[in-house]
């Protein structure tokens, strides 16, 4: 008995990390409750509802050709859009941080507009511009390229709504990249290009991954702006959220929750993967401690 | 390589950080730039490196005008106060960076780069840590990596900006000795900035004292310490006491009393007398500086007392043997053994 008592204070693990800030129990309790009410319970309800079909019925509904087609359209376009946003978002963040030019503040403020604009307005505006008779669309029409009413249109809409996420995650990190590190690189003989590739870019990598994840998540979930520009042709330009909506209108609630659950699972897997890569790169690049 | 700084002036938005500075740095020497905060040391160092461009004047590397060369072409080893290591690279990658980014024509083969980096790692006594990342090292170790990285490119000149400024006193002393050893072994022309006079006196072949964007004095540590050419240098390097005096009849007077110090060739009138607190002798006779002890404290092996001289209440510091019986209000008479007279401002 006495040996047990003497080892009792050394527990194998504990929730409680010694910390100078009190209130760990309270904040954790609040966080979990809040998280459950707002996020977990609705998601579980979704899963339970779709599970009502049984494994076989679920599989059948999930692998329906039209469902698979819409999932492919959604995820492929979202990945392409997030990839494009990462490239140009990084460039825009670079220009905003590194150069001083007239109108920079206004330009900086405009970046956030896609956050604020009702998505339907964005969709209608983009459709008007990229339609074959629109300002930009008419330039491409003679080449035989159609943008609106094709998956290309979906990508454009997704780029539009996802851009601020990338710019706003990279901008603050870029501002903090120490000038001295760049100078060190220059004194060691590296030219501008080598400095960017070998010194600056790697230190932005975690932020770029975060930006990619956010832009991707936003694009997958987007509905309002895309349905105007997509054309919504099944198997070609019909996105999964739209198909969910169609199922609901057919009063096929279970069919709708099945698609939603599959979307959720794929998104979760992708975001988890991105998060893991990011955690690894942060550790590797010496952040977070 | 010899470096000549010629009449260089540097303004930041019209604020002059350096006024007409000229300095000859000899090949192979270790020279310290010493001065109070804001005196322009970093600015001068960055001008030599090419990280800033002078508003006027020129910098020569040997006989070539360095202003025609970019930072990359100057072949400078620069060590920053806060290390500026590449945090996403291992120690080995950090050290090899300068060689790896060379154009193919002058880049050594990969095996050779690795061999040289390992050799440098050995030189800075960090063998075995090559796979670590910078955030897994202590501050002193990081700074040694930074030095190895700068040495890897075989720099024409090595520039260090307060390399030990962020480290604690003991590590500083160790690294100081070690830097001197490395310098003696590699023979690089080295300019190093510090505001720690002890560091500068101990480490450098020559000392360049700066104040308010100007060079006050350049010379060996001994000559600067023993023969300061301005009140600023006298006050900045080493301990000093200052007293306003009057020059008359080739003698110095304080409060109407001759103090037994000859005036040499000083002009009659007001002047400032400087001496070192430890360079005084206690005397009995009249012609001396006399004062009343106002504070009294033990500093290591000596006793430092503050004396109030004459009626005007000027305070000077004097060192006594630690077992001297002087207490508060004791009256003491002394005379500086060595001193320096500067005109009054
Ligand atoms: N980029 C800059 N823009 C404007 N003023 C500057 C800039 N860099 C330096 N200065 C000014 O030039 C003067 C000299 O600065 P410098 O950094 O050379 O001082 P220092 O001797 O290195 O000081 P410390 O010991 O504090 O590092 C300072 O008054 C500083 O405010
Ligand atoms: Mg400085």
């Amino acid at each position: 008995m006495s040996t047990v008592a003497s080892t009792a204070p050394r527990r194998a693990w504990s929730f409680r990390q010694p910390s100078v800030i009190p209130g760990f129990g309270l904040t954790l309790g609040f966080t979990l409750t809040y998280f459950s009410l707002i996020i977990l319970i609705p998601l579980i309800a979704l899963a339970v509802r779709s599970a009502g079909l049984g494994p076989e019925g679920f599989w059948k509904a999930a692998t329906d050709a039209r469902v698979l087609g819409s999932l492919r359209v959604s995820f492929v376009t979202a990945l392409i859009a997030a990839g494009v946003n990462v490239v140009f978002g990084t460039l825009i963040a670079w220009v905003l941080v590194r150069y001083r030019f007239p109108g920079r503040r206004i330009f900086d403020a405009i970046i956030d507009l896609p956050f604020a604009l009702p998505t339907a307005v964005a969709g209608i505006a983009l459709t008007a511009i990229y339609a074959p008779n629109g300002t930009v669309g008419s330039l491409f029409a003679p080449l035989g390229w159609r943008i609106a009413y094709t998956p290309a249109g979906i990508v454009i809409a997704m780029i539009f709504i996802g851009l601020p996420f990338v710019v706003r995650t990279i901008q603050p990190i870029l501002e903090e990249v120490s000038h001295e590190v760049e100078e060190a690189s220059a004194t060691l003989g590296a030219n501008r290009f080598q400095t960017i590739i070998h010194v600056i870019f790697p230190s932005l990598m975690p932020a770029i991954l975060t930006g990619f994840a956010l832009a991707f998540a936003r694009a997958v979930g987007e509905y309002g702006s895309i349905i105007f520009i997509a054309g919504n042709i099944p198997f070609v330009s019909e996105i999964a959220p739209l198909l969910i909506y169609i199922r609901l209108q057919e009063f096929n609630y279970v069919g709708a929750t099945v698609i939603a659950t599959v979307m959720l699972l794929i998104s979760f897997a992708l975001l988890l993967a991105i998060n893991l890569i990011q955690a690894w790169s942060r550790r590797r690049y010496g952040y977070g401690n | 390589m010899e470096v000549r700084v010629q009449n260089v002036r540097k303004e930041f938005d019209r604020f002059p950080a350096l006024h007409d500075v000229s300095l000859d740095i000899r090949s192979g020497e270790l020279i310290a730039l010493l001065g109070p905060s804001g005196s322009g040391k970093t600015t001068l160092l960055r001008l030599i490196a090419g990280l800033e461009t002078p508003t006027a004047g020129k910098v020569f590397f040997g006989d070539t005008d360095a202003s025609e060369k970019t930072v990359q072409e100057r072949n400078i080893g620069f060590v920053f106060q806060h290390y500026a290591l590449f945090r996403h690279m291992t120690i080995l990658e950090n050290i090899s960076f300068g060689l790896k980014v060379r154009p193919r024509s002058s880049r050594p083969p990969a095996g050779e780069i690795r061999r040289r980096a390992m050799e440098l790692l050995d030189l800075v006594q960090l063998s075995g840590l090559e796979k670590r990342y910078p955030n897994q090292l202590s501050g002193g170790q990081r700074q040694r990596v930074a030095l190895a990285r700068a040495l890897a490119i075989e720099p024409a000149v090595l520039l260090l900006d307060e390399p030990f400024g962020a480290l604690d006193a003991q590590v500083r002393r160790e690294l100081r000795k070690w830097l001197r050893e490395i310098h003696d072994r590699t023979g690089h022309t080295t300019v190093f900035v510090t505001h720690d006079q002890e560091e500068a006196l101990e480490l450098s072949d020559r000392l360049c004292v700066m104040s308010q964007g100007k060079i006050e004095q350049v010379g060996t540590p001994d000559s600067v310490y023993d023969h300061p050419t301005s009140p600023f240098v006298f006050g900045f390097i080493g301990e000093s006491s200052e007293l306003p005096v009057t020059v008359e009849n080739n003698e110095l007077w304080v409060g109407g009393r001759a103090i037994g110090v000859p005036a040499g060739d000083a002009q009659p009138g007001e002047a400032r007398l400087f001496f070192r607190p430890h360079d005084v002798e206690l005397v009995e006779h009249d012609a001396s500086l006399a004062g009343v002890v106002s504070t009294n404290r033990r500093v290591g092996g000596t006793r430092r007392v503050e004396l109030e001289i004459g009626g005007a209440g000027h305070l000077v510091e004097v060192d006594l043997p630690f077992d001297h019986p002087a207490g508060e209000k004791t009256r003491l008479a002394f005379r500086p053994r060595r001193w320096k007279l500067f005109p009054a401002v």
Side-chain angles (χ1 to χ4, degrees), chain A residues 7 41 53 57 75 80 91 93 99 106 122 134 138 143 153-154 206 214 219 238 247 257:
Chain A
T7 55
I41 292 177
L53 274 177
F75 283 99
I80 294 174
L91 264 174
Y99 301 105
I106 295 171
S138 60
L143 303 171
I154 303 179
L214 289 174
E238 185 180 59
R247 290 280 187 265
T257 53

Side-chain angles (χ1 to χ4, degrees), chain A residues 178 180-181 183-192 194-195 198-200 202-203 283-289, chain B residues 46 49 51 71-72 76 78 80-82 84-89 93 97-98 100-102 133 135 149-150 153:
Chain A
S178 138
E180 284 189 352
V181 175
E183 290 178 342
S185 171
T187 60
L188 291 167
N191 60 35
R192 198 82 195 114
Q194 289 171 316
T195 301
H198 297 301
V199 175
I200 299 173
S203 55
R283 217 171 318 122
R284 203 188 128 162
Y285 295 162
Y287 292 86
N289 57 353
Chain B
R46 291 172 59 84
L51 295 170
V71 182
Q72 284 87 352
I76 289 290
F78 202 104
F80 296 84
Q81 180 173 358
H82 297 288
L85 293 177
F86 307 130
R87 62 200 300 187
H88 60 280
M89 295 183 200
E93 286 165 344
F97 183 81
K100 280 189 185 157
V101 295
R102 283 196 185 164
Y133 286 92
N135 70 325
R149 181 179 70 176
I153 58 169

Side-chain angles (χ1 to χ4, degrees), chain A residues 35-48 264:
Chain A
F35 183 70
S36 305
L37 282 177
I38 302 285
I39 298 178
L40 222 48
I41 292 177
L43 291 186
I44 289 173
L46 190 67
V48 168
L264 211 60

Side-chain angles (χ1 to χ4, degrees), chain A residues 141-160:
Chain A
L143 303 171
W145 292 352
R146 278 161 52 93
I147 297 173
Y149 317 126
T150 70
I154 303 179
V155 172
I156 298 266
M158 288 175 165
I159 291 174
F160 177 81

Side-chain angles (χ1 to χ4, degrees), chain A residues 103-204:
Chain A
R104 187 179 68 95
R105 298 254 166 235
I106 295 171
F107 188 37
D108 198 8
I110 288 175
I111 298 289
D112 286 330
L113 279 187
F115 276 142
L117 204 62
T119 51
V121 176
I124 293 167
L126 288 171
T127 310
I129 294 168
Y130 287 99
N133 56 355
T135 326
V136 179
S138 60
L139 298 176
F140 289 95
L143 303 171
W145 292 352
R146 278 161 52 93
I147 297 173
Y149 317 126
T150 70
I154 303 179
V155 172
I156 298 266
M158 288 175 165
I159 291 174
F160 177 81
I161 53 158
L163 185 66
F165 290 94
V166 178
V167 177
R168 291 296 181 237
T169 40
I170 293 177
Q171 209 176 358
I173 306 296
L174 192 56
E175 260 158 15
E176 275 178 23
V177 168
S178 138
H179 213 66
E180 284 189 352
V181 175
E182 277 170 60
E183 290 178 342
S185 171
T187 60
L188 291 167
N191 60 35
R192 198 82 195 114
F193 181 73
Q194 289 171 316
T195 301
I196 291 172
I197 295 296
H198 297 301
V199 175
I200 299 173
F201 188 70
S203 55
L204 291 182

